[in-house]
Amino acid sequence: MVAGRDVVAAGVVRLTLRRPGGQPVPAWKPGAHIDLVLRDGLVRQYSLCGDPADRSALRVAVLREAAGRGGSAFVFDSLAAGRPVRVRGPRNHFPLVPAGSYLFIAGGIGITPILPMIAAVSAAGRPWRLVYGGRTRASMAFLDALADSANVSIVPQDEAGLIDLDAVLGRPVAGTAIYCCGPESLLAAVESRCRDWPPGVLHVERFAARPGAGDGPREAFEVEFARSRKVCEVPAGRSILQVADEAGVFVATSCEEGTCGTCETPVLSGEPDHRDSYLSPAERERGNIILVCVSRSRSPRLVLDL
């Protein structure tokens, strides 16, 4: 149930979600997100931005996207305080890993998963720094809670331009983990500038698919659902997820664009053709998991643990 709703920036609302009977909410760790099932066929993922120690509620912040697909508009127009809402999760595909120090880079609403991370590393006594960019100060959520910290650099675009990533990332620092969340333009720029950093230090979370992630030839192949004992053809114009649904094989799904990881499925044999924006290069290389909403197969048959 939506127990509370407040404005935290221009075009951004924070929802406080509680169980109707007052039972504790599920435990979670920094970087986790939940699915809000807004109505049939409309499911959206939002990063948790509250305190993991507070088991009375879950909190998310939602930006109204003018060119969105309807999720944020539904939250703003229809999800009033007191309204029931179905929640799935939490799940964590953006976990905070142990490191000697941390560099956080956030763009706009990308600050939401970063907030609990900062609280956690501060409590652990680890050095950290945040560089937080946005269009204007008024549009930057939770600015009041961050602006007084000496560890935080606030970069409103209308005052200071874009974040100077060459200055922020120009020199690799041993033992530092980098966490970045925000629009695709920021993520791509950070990824480019981290090529000289040690492998594995950069951790990103995307809200949308990488441009061109789904490109490539679309040929038919067979998929074997091992547990269901079904073999189906995946035509050029259909996804594994669609074929599984038509065959009565259940797959948990959410974004259906290869960004959230909900439909991640073990691969028993065959060679996946990864077209997602979620798996790391190392996970792709191993070839033992696939996101069935967008990815395909390089081999004639793919055997999945479904």
Side-chain angles (χ1 to χ4, degrees), residues 26-45:
W28 60 280
K29 294 182 178 180
H33 72 267
I34 56 173
D35 296 343
L36 294 188
V37 184
L38 302 173
R39 56 176 170 77
D40 289 345
L42 189 63
V43 181
R44 293 293 182 266
Q45 304 79 45

Side-chain angles (χ1 to χ4, degrees), residues 44-133:
R44 293 293 182 266
Q45 304 79 45
Y46 297 106
S47 297
L48 291 168
C49 60
D51 178 2
D54 179 6
R55 299 288 301 280
S56 70
L58 298 172
R59 292 177 174 84
V60 297
V62 181
L63 168 69
R64 180 157 198 156
E65 297 276 5
R69 296 178 296 153
S72 65
F74 185 94
V75 169
F76 271 75
D77 297 340
S78 303
L79 210 56
R83 176 162 179 167
V85 61
R86 183 181 169 200
V87 175
R88 296 195 310 220
R91 293 190 304 276
N92 198 338
H93 303 301
F94 192 43
L96 185 64
V97 300
S101 62
Y102 296 86
L103 171 60
F104 300 107
I105 304 173
I109 198 63
I111 191 63
T112 51
I114 302 298
L115 292 175
M117 293 183 178
I118 289 174
V121 299
S122 295
R126 296 292 185 183
W128 62 273
R129 178 188 176 197
L130 167 66
V131 182
Y132 179 19

Side-chain angles (χ1 to χ4, degrees), residues 238-262:
R238 307 289 283 170
S239 69
I240 299 173
L241 177 63
Q242 291 169 329
V243 169
D245 183 61
E246 292 164 359
V249 177
F250 173 76
V251 183
T253 185
S254 186
C255 74
E256 298 189 15
E257 59 178 19
T259 60
C260 74
T262 304

Side-chain angles (χ1 to χ4, degrees), residues 82-241:
R83 176 162 179 167
V85 61
R86 183 181 169 200
V87 175
R88 296 195 310 220
R91 293 190 304 276
N92 198 338
H93 303 301
F94 192 43
L96 185 64
V97 300
S101 62
Y102 296 86
L103 171 60
F104 300 107
I105 304 173
I109 198 63
I111 191 63
T112 51
I114 302 298
L115 292 175
M117 293 183 178
I118 289 174
V121 299
S122 295
R126 296 292 185 183
W128 62 273
R129 178 188 176 197
L130 167 66
V131 182
Y132 179 19
R135 295 187 307 276
T136 65
R137 289 182 183 271
S139 71
M140 299 170 71
F142 307 109
L143 201 59
D144 290 346
L146 295 166
D148 292 337
S149 172
N151 296 340
V152 177
S153 298
I154 304 297
V155 189
Q157 187 175 346
D158 64 337
E159 298 176 20
L162 298 174
I163 296 171
D164 186 352
L165 293 176
D166 290 329
V168 174
L169 297 167
R171 182 176 60 85
V173 179
T176 295
I178 304 171
Y179 280 81
C180 182
C181 188
E184 178 59 34
S185 57
L186 174 64
L187 299 181
V190 168
E191 287 175 329
S192 175
R193 286 164 176 83
C194 282
R195 288 173 184 159
D196 293 332
W197 286 67
V201 303
L202 175 61
H203 308 266
V204 302
E205 184 169 57
R206 282 183 156 81
F207 296 137
R210 269 193 197 96
D215 293 351
R218 301 184 68 84
E219 299 177 356
F221 59 94
E222 284 188 338
V223 61
E224 178 181 341
F225 302 114
R227 278 187 283 156
S228 303
R229 299 182 180 180
K230 294 181 179 182
V231 177
C232 303
E233 181 183 44
V234 181
R238 307 289 283 170
S239 69
I240 299 173
L241 177 63

